[in-house]
Amino acid sequence: MFMEYDPAVYSRILTGLTLGFHIIFATIGVGIPLMIALAEWMGIRKNDPHYRLLARRWARGFVVTVAVGVVTGTAIGLQLSLLWPNFMQLAGQTISLPLFMEVFAFFFEAIFLGIYLYTWDRFKSRMKHFLLIIPVVIGASFSAFFITTVNSFMNAPQGFELVNGVITDIDPIAAMFNPATPTKTAHVIITCYLTSAFVLGMIGAFKILKGDRHVYHKKALHLTMMSAFVFSIATVVIGDLSGKYLAEYQPEKLAAAEWHFETEEEAPLVLGGYLENDGEIKYAMEIPYALSILAHGTPGAEVIGLDQFPDEDTPPLIVHYFFDGMVFIGMYLAFVSMIYLLLSWKKQQLMHSKVLLWSIVAGGPLSILAIELGWVFAEIGRQPWILYGIMRTPEGATTSDHVDAMLYLFIGLYAILGLSCSIVLKKMFNNNPAAHELEQRGVEDRGERT
Amino acid sequence: MSYEIIGISVLWFFLYGYLIVASVDFGAGFFHFYNKVSHKNYQVNKLIQRYLSPVWEVTNVFLVFFFVGIIGFFPDTAYYYGTALLVPGSISIVLIAIRGSYYAFNTYGSKDSKIYSFLYGMSGLLIPASFTIVLTISEGSYLDISNGNVTLMLGELLTSGYSWSVVFLAIVSVLFISASFLTYYAYKAGDAASYWLFRRYTLFWSIPTILASVLIFFAIRHHNPEHFSSMLDISWMFILSLLFFLAAMFFIYKKRHLGTAFILVMLQFFSAWFGYGASHLPYLLYPHLTIYDGFVNETMAIALIMAFFAGLLLLIPSLYLLMRLFLFDADYIQGNK
C-alpha cells in the first residue's frame, strides 16, 4: 500500500468509513418515522387516502434502509471495542450508561416498528394504528439522543476524576449531560429531520418533473417542504448556539474551522477561500464582525485564535472546507424550502416550476452531503484528541496487525450493501407506481389530476 | 449478591435470550433456503416469513445489548477481547451485515430472490459458528499475552479439537431449536405439511445436538481441567438439561403438547447454558481476567442495573404486545390477518 502500516491510522480510516456509511441510514432512520407519522396523521385528520398511502409507501421503503442502518450500527458498536480497545477500557467506565440506554431506545423502536408494519389493516380504528408509530418516533429520536451524548462526552469529558491514568469518582449523569450535550443532540436530531424531509421531498419533486402530475406527489411535496422549512429554521438557530458553545469550550475547533489565526476583537468571518501553503488565505469572502457575533453574540467580542494553542493540540486546518460546505448547504435548504412556501402561498402557478423542482431534487443528496460534512468537521475538529484533553487518538487504538486487511474487507461490504440497497429500493417503487397502487386499493380518482 | 454477579447474570441471561431467538431466526433462514432449492412445499416458506418478519430486528438487539453491556460492566474485556478478536469479530460483523440486509431485501423488496435467500440462509448458519470463537478463547490457552500486547493464536485455535466441537454444537443446535419451534408454529397454524416436515427435522437434528453436547463435556475435561471439575460440582444442572431434552423429544415423537415441548427445549438450553456459565466463573477469560478484577466502578454498576430494570419495565409489556399480536394470535399465524 501507499503508506506505512500504522494501526491507529487504519483504525481511524475504518471507523470513519463505517460511520460515514452508517450515518446515511441512521439519519433517515431517525427522521423518516416522524415524516411517516405526519403523513398518517394528515391522512386521518383530513380523511385523505393519499396521505395514508404516502405513509404506507414511505414505511415500505424505510424498512429496507432500516435494515442497512441496523447492521451497520451493529458493526460500529462492535468496532468500537475491536478498533479502540484501550479507549473503551478507559471510557467504558463512563459511556456505558448512555450506550446501554441507546440500545434500550432502539429495542423499543424495533418492537413497535415490527408491529406497525404488519398491522396496517388489522385494527378497526385508524387511530390505533397511528399510535403505534409514536413509540417508533420516540425510540428513534432517543437513540439518536443517547448516542450523541456519548460523542458529546468525548468532546467535553466530565463527571469523573483521573488519578494516575485511572478513572475514579464517577458521576454518570454529569458525564451524560456534559456541556456539549444540549447543542450536539439538538443539532443532530433536527438535521436528521431536515435531511429526511428533503430526501422524501426529492422523490415527489422528481416524479412531478418526470411528468407524473398526480396529486399524490404534489401532496407529498407540500408536506415535506412545509416540514423542511420548519426544521431548517430550527437548524439555523441551533447551529448558531453550537458556534457559541465551541467558542466557549473548544475554541481551537472554531478557530480552525474559521481560519482564525490570531486572537482579536471584532473578528471577521471567513467564507470559502483557499489556504496556500504559506498560510495566506486566497479568494475568501470576509464578513466583518460576523465571527464575533457567531461566537459571543456581540460584534466587539474577542475571539480566541489558533495562536493561543501549541501546534500539537490544534486540529488540521482542512476542517474549514467541511464547515463551510455544511453551512452553505444548510442555508441553501432553508432558502429553497422558503421559496417553495412563499410560492405556494402567493403564486401557485410557479410552485411547480422546473427550476424550483430541480432545486428541491438537488436538496436531497445535498442534505446528506451536509450531514457527512458536518460530522467529518465535528470529528476531525477535535483531533488530536479521542477524549478531549485526556487521551490522544493513537493511544486509544488497537495494536493488532490486521486493521488494513479489515479496512479492505469493509470497503467491499459497504460497496455491495449500498449497491444492493439502491437496486432493491429502485425496483420496489418502479414496479409499483403510486397511481397504480391507488387504483389497486380502490381509492377513487376524484378528478384531482391536473 | 455482589454487583459483579448481578452484572454477569444479566448479561448471560441476555445472551441466552439471543441464543434462543437468533437460533429460531437463523435456522428458519436456512430452512427457507433449503426448502426453496429442494422445491419442497412452498407453503412452509410463507409460514417462516410470517413468523420472522415482525421480529428480525428485535433479535439483533439482544446481541447488541450483550456486547454493549459487557463493556459497561467489565470494561477490561474491551482490552483483552477487543484486541484479540479484531479479525474473527470483523468476520462476524460481515456475516451479520449480510444476513440482516439480505433478509430485508428479500422480504420487503419487490420479489423473492434465490440469491438473496442463499445469502441470508447460509450466513445465518455461519454466524453462530463464528461467535463460538469467543466462548472457545474464554477457556484459555488461545491468547498470547506478553509485552503488554494481546494476540490471538489463530493456528492453535483452528487445529484444536475443542474449538471445532463447539462450532459443531452451535450449528446443530441452531437447526434443532429452530425446527422444534417451527414444529409448534406450523401446528398452531394448522399447516399439516409444514408440521410433518419440521417434526422430521426436529427429530433428525436432536441426535447430533445431544452427541455434540456430550462431546464438549469431555473436550473441556481435556482442555481446561479446572473448569471441568467445577462443572462436575454442579453436574445436576447438566443432568436436568438432559432430562428436559428427553421429555421434549418424547412429546414431539408422540405428537403431543408441542408448545410444552418447545418450552422444554428452551429449558434444556437454559440449564446447560447457565450450568456452563456458572462453572466458568469467576473467569471471564481464563486465567487472565475474572469478573472481580475487570469490574466497572460501583456508581456506574448501580446506574447500569437501574437503567436495566427501567428498560425491562418498558420492554416486557412491549414484547408481550408483539407476541400477542403475532406469535400467539391464531388468526395471524393462519394468514388471515
Side-chain angles (χ1 to χ4, degrees), chain B residues 184-230:
Chain B
Y184 163 66
Y185 200 66
Y187 176 75
K188 281 270 285 196
D191 182 345
S194 314
Y195 163 64
W196 286 110
L197 185 68
F198 286 120
R199 179 176 172 274
R200 228 179 56 228
Y201 287 167
T202 313
L203 294 173
F204 178 78
W205 289 110
S206 70
I207 299 160
T209 302
I210 206 67
L211 285 180
S213 311
V214 175
L215 181 70
I216 286 201
F217 200 74
F218 291 103
I220 288 182
R221 177 186 186 169
H222 176 73
H223 186 82
N224 184 343
E226 194 180 332
H227 186 189
F228 183 74
S229 73
S230 43

Side-chain angles (χ1 to χ4, degrees), chain A residues 137-197:
Chain A
V137 176
I138 294 174
S141 297
F142 266 90
S143 59
F145 173 80
F146 287 125
I147 204 66
T148 311
T149 66
V150 173
N151 187 273
S152 308
F153 175 81
M154 292 163 80
N155 278 280
Q158 65 164 39
F160 62 91
E161 294 289 328
L162 197 64
V163 184
N164 302 328
V166 178
I167 283 190
T168 51
D169 230 352
I170 290 177
D171 178 354
I173 303 299
M176 218 161 105
F177 293 94
N178 56 68
T181 297
T183 44
K184 263 196 182 275
T185 53
H187 191 67
V188 163
I189 293 172
I190 201 74
T191 49
C192 287
Y193 294 163
L194 174 60
T195 303
S196 305

Side-chain angles (χ1 to χ4, degrees), chain A residues 66-67 70-71 74-75 81 85-86 89 93-94 96-97 100 104 106-107 113 115 118 122 170 399 406 416-417 420, chain B residues 53 57-58 60-61 71-72 76 78-79 82 90 93 101-102 104 108 149 296-297 299-300 311 315 325-326 329 337:
Chain A
V66 164
V70 170
V71 298
T74 309
S81 304
N86 300 308
Q89 190 183 19
Q93 301 271 356
T94 49
S96 48
L97 183 67
F100 213 54
F104 266 123
F106 178 65
F107 210 149
L113 183 64
I115 299 177
Y118 286 87
R122 233 176 123 167
I170 290 177
T399 45
M406 296 304 108
I416 292 170
L417 285 188
S420 310
Chain B
S53 302
E57 257 195 298
V58 176
N60 214 49
V61 188
I71 302 299
D76 280 3
Y79 173 70
S90 299
I93 297 174
S101 317
Y102 284 94
Y108 305 105
N149 210 340
V296 76
N297 67 87
T299 333
M300 203 58 178
L315 290 185
L325 285 171
F326 299 105
D329 185 312
K337 274 183 184 168

